[in-house]
Amino acid sequence: MNLAQFDGLIFDLDGTLVDTMPLHLSAWERAAGEFGFHYDADWIYALGGVPSRKIARLIAEQQNISLDGDLVARVKNGYYQNQLLSARAFPAMLALLRQWVGTLPMAIGTGSARVNAERVLENTGLSRYFPVVVSADEVSLHKPNPDTYLLAAELLGVAPERCLVFEDTPIGRQAARAAGMACVMVVDGEPRFDVE
């Protein structure tokens, strides 16, 4: 695929650019032990791109238990942040960034809180590639809604239909499609260029 046919590139962060999903899952597992809810790694992974407080609310609804979503999210994020120094960029994705930096404008569109996104970008040295970062804090309607990606395109100054999104979850792909953007799925750190 020739990326030059697009005017802007937008990347999800966790699980797409950086191998942080194992850290998120570990943090959720610890939070489950602390708060007494059932931990399902596959179910939580599929919610990649959804803010932690919303996942906590979904857990409470699904398991018919009472949870303080904000407290669960704070505890989970504390466990997550304690592991962040071990996060690494996927080599194939880093190579892609290096190839296109300065040629196409690039943005981050993530469901993570800004503090987490900024720490990941700084710790991995990726922050220099992204003048635009849209986190869960900047939008009220998160993935699978298109708002994260639409705001990223607006801040890049690129029409949505001229943007290419890189995502690792079905929820993220749904958000990209809803924004009218082409989407490349990233599987185990490797972009699959059969665009959807």
Side-chain angles (χ1 to χ4, degrees), residues 106-120:
M106 296 188 278
I108 293 289
T110 180
S112 285
R114 177 159 285 278
V115 64
N116 288 346
E118 287 178 348
R119 284 184 185 168
V120 168

Side-chain angles (χ1 to χ4, degrees), residues 134-152:
V134 177
S135 74
D137 300 337
E138 283 78 52
V139 296
S140 55
L141 295 174
H142 303 98
K143 301 173 190 178
N145 294 291
D147 301 44
T148 298
Y149 288 135
L150 290 173
L151 180 56

Side-chain angles (χ1 to χ4, degrees), residues 18-20 23 80-89 123-124:
V18 182
D19 192 14
T20 51
L23 308 183
Y80 172 70
Q81 289 168 5
N82 287 338
Q83 306 175 78
L84 273 183
L85 285 176
S86 66
R88 298 287 177 264
N123 289 349
T124 56

Side-chain angles (χ1 to χ4, degrees), residues 170-192:
I171 283 176
R173 178 177 54 206
Q174 188 178 341
R177 286 178 173 165
M181 300 177 183
C183 184
V184 168
M185 294 304 289
V186 177
V187 180
D188 297 327
E190 297 283 339
R192 304 293 168 93

Side-chain angles (χ1 to χ4, degrees), residues 153-186:
E154 179 183 330
L155 294 173
L156 284 177
V158 176
E161 65 274 11
R162 302 293 304 150
C163 291
L164 176 64
V165 171
F166 291 83
E167 260 292 352
D168 70 312
T169 66
I171 283 176
R173 178 177 54 206
Q174 188 178 341
R177 286 178 173 165
M181 300 177 183
C183 184
V184 168
M185 294 304 289
V186 177

